[in-house]
């Protein structure tokens, strides 16, 4: 099983600032099979990025993804109020699909 | 509109059985793999398993194999997650989620149900 470790656990930032979230895999993941999700309180997760760097439909371009091998990054260029949420990385290259434990982006 | 609508919240006692549902609409239900994801209170996301409604081919996470059963009824465009004997540790929110592209087993989840809260308590 591929273990995904996200850092930091919590990111305290102000609106307008840049957020950089990391996800490290326990073994190499084909970048075609890596995604990021956002979950706001009381809501279902929402797909942000798939295939490491492809934005899902309707996702603003302030969200971007990058990475390869074992290290992947989600960047939010300028935080909007609605971006304060929990973010999960996921690999879907092998079974079981696994998620990271989440990074909470909170208002400073 | 493409959507997944899940059945309502359940409160059950340990040892009871349960079957929750996820109805797809607005797309070709048989040709998209559909997964179940658990989220325990205050915790992260766990992939439980996935099914292809067109032929009911299903795959399970080792953590959930033998603990739950995933099924689908193509005619009802509905997928199911069931337990034969619930435990208190099954208390969680359960989401169904559809893959992004038809026929693709290895894919991200772009459409999610609203979640079904299952509470197991004596």
């Amino acid at each position: 099983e591929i273990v995904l470790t996200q850092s930091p656990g919590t990111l305290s930032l102000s609106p307008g600032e840049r957020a950089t979230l990391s996800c490290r895999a326990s073994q190499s993941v084909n970048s075609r099979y890596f995604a990021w999700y956002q979950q706001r309180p009381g809501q279902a997760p929402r797909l942000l990025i798939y295939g490491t760097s492809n934005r899902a439909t309707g996702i603003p371009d302030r969200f971007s993804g990058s990475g390869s091998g074992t290290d992947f990054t989600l960047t939010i260029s300028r935080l909007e109020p609605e971006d304060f949420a929990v973010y999960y990385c996921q690999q879907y290259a092998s079974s079981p699909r696994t998620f990271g434990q989440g990074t909470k982006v909170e208002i400073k | 509109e493409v959507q997944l609508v899940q059945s309502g919240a359940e409160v059950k006692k340990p040892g009871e059985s349960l079957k929750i549902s996820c109805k797809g609409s607005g797309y070709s239900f048989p040709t998209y793999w559909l997964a179940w994801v658990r989220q325990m209170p205050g915790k992260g996301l766990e992939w439980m398993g996935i099914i292809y409604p067109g032929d009911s081919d299903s795959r399970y996470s080792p953590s959930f194999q033998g603990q739950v059963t995933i099924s689908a009824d193509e005619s009802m465009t509905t997928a199911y997650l069931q337990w034969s004997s619930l435990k208190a540790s099954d208390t969680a929110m359960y989401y169904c989620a559809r893959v992004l592209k038809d026929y693709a087993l290895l894919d991200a989840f772009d459409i999610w149900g609203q979640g079904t809260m299952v509470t197991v308590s004596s």
Side-chain angles (χ1 to χ4, degrees):
Chain A
E1 173 175 323
I2 298 176
V3 176
L4 300 179
T5 303
Q6 294 187 238
S7 61
T10 302
L11 200 50
S12 299
L13 295 168
S14 301
E17 288 194 293
R18 181 184 188 90
T20 302
L21 288 66
S22 295
C23 182
R24 175 161 288 178
S26 60
Q27 56 189 276
S28 185
V29 176
N30 186 318
S31 60
R32 290 178 60 189
Y33 306 121
F34 197 87
W36 290 92
Y37 299 85
Q38 175 194 67
Q39 188 176 32
R40 296 173 177 146
Q43 294 187 16
R46 177 173 72 141
L47 177 64
L48 297 175
I49 301 286
Y50 64 95
T52 295
S53 58
N54 301 289
R55 277 187 297 278
T57 301
I59 302 303
D61 60 7
R62 64 180 181 273
F63 291 92
S64 63
S66 62
S68 64
T70 59
D71 291 293
F72 297 85
T73 301
L74 174 70
T75 302
I76 311 171
S77 59
R78 291 175 311 280
L79 284 164
E80 297 288 341
E82 62 269 26
D83 299 337
F84 292 91
V86 179
Y87 293 83
Y88 295 95
C89 57
Q90 185 210 14
Q91 66 81 22
Y92 45 98
S94 66
S95 195
R97 320 289 188 262
T98 46
F99 293 91
Q101 82 281 15
T103 289
K104 182 179 182 180
V105 179
E106 65 176 22
I107 299 177
K108 187 174 182 180
Chain B
E1 180 193 3
V2 175
Q3 58 179 353
L4 298 173
V5 177
Q6 297 185 230
S7 50
E10 301 275 0
V11 180
K12 292 288 191 179
K13 290 183 169 31
E16 292 187 330
S17 62
L18 176 64
K19 191 174 189 177
I20 62 175
S21 66
C22 169
K23 183 172 177 61
S25 62
Y27 72 97
S28 174
F29 183 78
T31 61
Y32 285 79
W33 289 82
L34 197 149
W36 287 94
V37 175
R38 184 175 79 174
Q39 187 167 39
M40 298 177 79
K43 301 298 184 184
L45 305 172
E46 300 173 90
W47 183 86
M48 302 176 71
I50 196 166
I51 190 165
Y52 188 74
D55 63 6
S56 291
D57 182 10
S58 57
R59 320 287 171 90
Y60 291 86
S61 165
S63 298
F64 294 94
Q65 180 84 48
Q67 308 304 308
V68 297
T69 302
I70 295 171
S71 60
D73 183 332
E74 189 180 332
S75 66
M76 298 290 288
T77 67
T78 300
Y80 303 94
L81 177 67
Q82 69 180 87
W83 296 258
S84 58
S85 180
L86 286 159
K87 310 181 194 64
S89 57
D90 293 318
T91 295
M93 181 72 81
Y94 292 88
Y95 294 102
C96 59
R98 193 204 75 168
V99 295
L100 180 60
K101 298 182 200 64
D102 54 353
Y103 308 104
L105 173 60
L106 301 180
D107 211 355
F109 303 134
D110 71 328
I111 304 295
W112 292 70
Q114 82 278 19
T116 296
M117 184 66 206
V118 173
T119 303
V120 184
S121 174
S122 54

